[in-house]
Amino acid sequence: MGFHCKDFKEGKCQGQKVVDGETMPLVLQPPEPDKGDIDSLMSALKRNKDWFEQMIIKNSAVLLRGFDVKKAEDFNDIVEAVGWDDIRYVGPAPRTHIYKRVWTANEGPLSQFIYYHHEMVLINEYPKKVVLFCEIPPPEGGQTPFVPSFKVTERMLEEFPEAVEEIDRKGLKYRFTALSKNDKSSMRGRGWEDAFGTSDKAEAERRAKALGMDVEWLPNGGATTIIGPRWLTKVFDGRKGRRMWFNTLVGMHGKEQSSALMADGTEIPENFVKRCEEIIEEESIQFEWEKGDVLFLDNLALLHGRRPSLPPRKVLVATCK
């Protein structure tokens, strides 16, 4: 299935890679200079819904560039035009609701690197699409790099075949500790009350259970959530049987607030985690944000992160089923 759509023309961006025959990200631009207004974009998306979704699954990332997308309301219209249901964000990142389906991306300090992850990978119901809009591009840094997840599995299987299969068989168990209230000085500073939408511990436990988590209460009012067993790799329909590195092992292993072990309590070798971190970085795709960019990520196929940035930087997000 090649590129056939009269409502868009294919563009290029710096940092693009061809991975296994697919261009990541696929850049879609207005077909004519005068077709970049928001109304033309809206009708193009509505006319080509199925095709557009196929492009996201085929290329894993699609970047709309050169359209006149100015503000959260425009972005919300785009998200609603493609017609996928909303899914509420659950996780450690501090975020603020902006408008309808639109939230700020992680509000943790811009100086910190947000490690590569599949969005809400530990929750029973995770989004299939993550959509990002660049309202204010950073003067330096602040990229949202992403990684084709199946490449990580391929390379880890080449180097650690037995360990990969053992962890996949046993599953992973994660622990994560949160304070009671939000702490915006940390990129993982969301308090459990905000995360679970309640300050009632019994209700928080019920909500945690529904998401597939257990909770232990700490003397300081904080909480530790225990999640697992969870998968190391996962295969999703329509993605060439690729085995995705669908976990947050590197991001949570041996950190101050979190840990990751095999589900039976076996430690994961340090060199396995270290090498995985190097491979993820080597396979990453970096592109520079431009004002008005809208990036669609297939959350089942890509890990994504955030590079440290000079201010100001304003990237908004919507998560979809």
Side-chain angles (χ1 to χ4, degrees):
M1 178 179 57
F3 183 94
H4 301 295
C5 183
K6 62 179 180 8
D7 288 316
F8 297 99
K9 75 169 192 209
E10 190 172 351
K12 291 210 173 333
C13 72
Q14 153 281 333
Q16 244 175 353
K17 273 190 192 176
V18 176
V19 183
D20 196 20
E22 314 298 359
T23 306
M24 298 183 188
L26 172 68
V27 180
L28 299 182
Q29 294 177 321
E32 314 284 340
D34 62 345
K35 295 272 174 66
D37 62 286
I38 196 83
D39 292 338
S40 300
L41 173 58
M42 296 299 293
S43 33
L45 287 171
K46 285 175 179 159
R47 271 197 299 275
N48 299 286
K49 259 186 207 175
D50 293 346
W51 174 84
F52 189 72
E53 185 160 18
Q54 283 174 328
M55 289 297 114
I56 295 168
I57 291 169
K58 176 175 170 287
N59 296 79
S60 303
V62 172
L63 176 63
L64 295 179
R65 176 167 279 178
F67 294 95
D68 192 24
V69 190
K70 286 198 174 78
K71 52 190 192 293
E73 290 79 356
D74 298 340
F75 177 46
N76 188 75
D77 287 346
I78 289 168
V79 172
E80 291 193 343
V82 285
W84 312 310
D85 288 342
D86 192 32
I87 187 168
R88 182 176 177 269
Y89 172 74
V90 179
R95 291 185 171 185
T96 305
H97 182 238
I98 300 290
Y99 175 78
K100 291 193 179 172
R101 293 177 62 167
V102 178
W103 293 71
T104 58
N106 191 321
E107 289 181 32
L110 286 175
S111 57
Q112 294 179 17
F113 176 47
I114 296 174
Y115 195 68
Y116 298 100
H117 58 286
H118 288 272
E119 200 64 37
M120 291 161 55
V121 64
L122 300 181
I123 311 296
N124 289 343
E125 192 186 12
Y126 33 79
K128 295 191 175 70
K129 318 280 191 314
V130 174
V131 195
L132 297 154
F133 160 56
C134 181
E135 191 172 338
I136 302 170
E140 190 184 309
Q143 297 91 340
T144 298
F146 54 87
V147 182
S149 204
F150 78 98
K151 293 295 292 179
V152 184
T153 311
E154 268 181 12
R155 292 186 56 186
M156 288 298 284
L157 276 168
E158 279 166 20
E159 295 187 32
F160 302 94
E162 281 142 17
V164 168
E165 298 302 1
E166 183 189 4
I167 299 169
D168 227 354
R169 194 171 61 249
K170 290 180 175 174
L172 286 161
K173 189 164 238 176
Y174 303 92
R175 296 174 74 87
F176 185 82
T177 300
L179 297 168
S180 143
K181 302 281 189 233
N182 290 345
D183 168 16
K184 282 195 180 169
S185 70
S186 164
M187 60 186 182
R188 288 181 162 183
R190 195 177 189 204
W192 65 260
E193 296 183 29
D194 184 20
F196 294 125
T198 178
S199 51
D200 176 330
K201 288 184 176 177
E203 180 57 30
E205 283 180 29
R206 273 196 294 280
R207 291 179 187 184
K209 261 284 185 278
L211 297 164
M213 305 174 178
D214 291 315
V215 182
E216 285 173 3
W217 301 106
L218 304 174
N220 69 356
T224 297
T225 49
I226 302 108
I227 302 156
R230 281 286 185 270
W231 43 80
L232 180 74
T233 69
K234 224 163 156 47
V235 177
F236 296 100
D237 289 347
R239 289 160 182 83
K240 299 184 174 177
R242 289 167 171 167
R243 200 165 156 187
M244 305 301 182
W245 193 253
F246 205 69
N247 63 71
T248 184
L249 169 61
V250 178
M252 286 180 76
H253 184 270
K255 302 290 189 291
E256 198 180 331
Q257 284 172 284
S258 63
S259 67
L261 301 164
M262 291 186 223
D264 66 355
T266 312
E267 285 282 348
I268 293 161
E270 194 62 48
N271 67 326
F272 180 95
V273 182
K274 191 88 207 94
R275 184 65 188 124
C276 183
E277 187 171 355
E278 291 167 4
I279 287 170
I280 287 172
E281 192 53 61
E282 285 165 19
E283 293 296 336
S284 69
I285 294 166
Q286 317 281 334
F287 81 102
E288 306 289 334
W289 281 114
E290 290 184 8
K291 189 174 172 57
D293 279 351
V294 179
L295 179 67
F296 289 79
L297 299 178
D298 178 0
N299 189 47
L300 307 185
L302 297 176
L303 301 135
H304 70 278
R306 184 193 76 192
R307 290 249 172 257
S309 168
L310 289 179
R313 175 190 190 271
K314 192 170 183 190
V315 173
L316 303 180
V317 66
T319 41
C320 310
K321 288 187 179 172

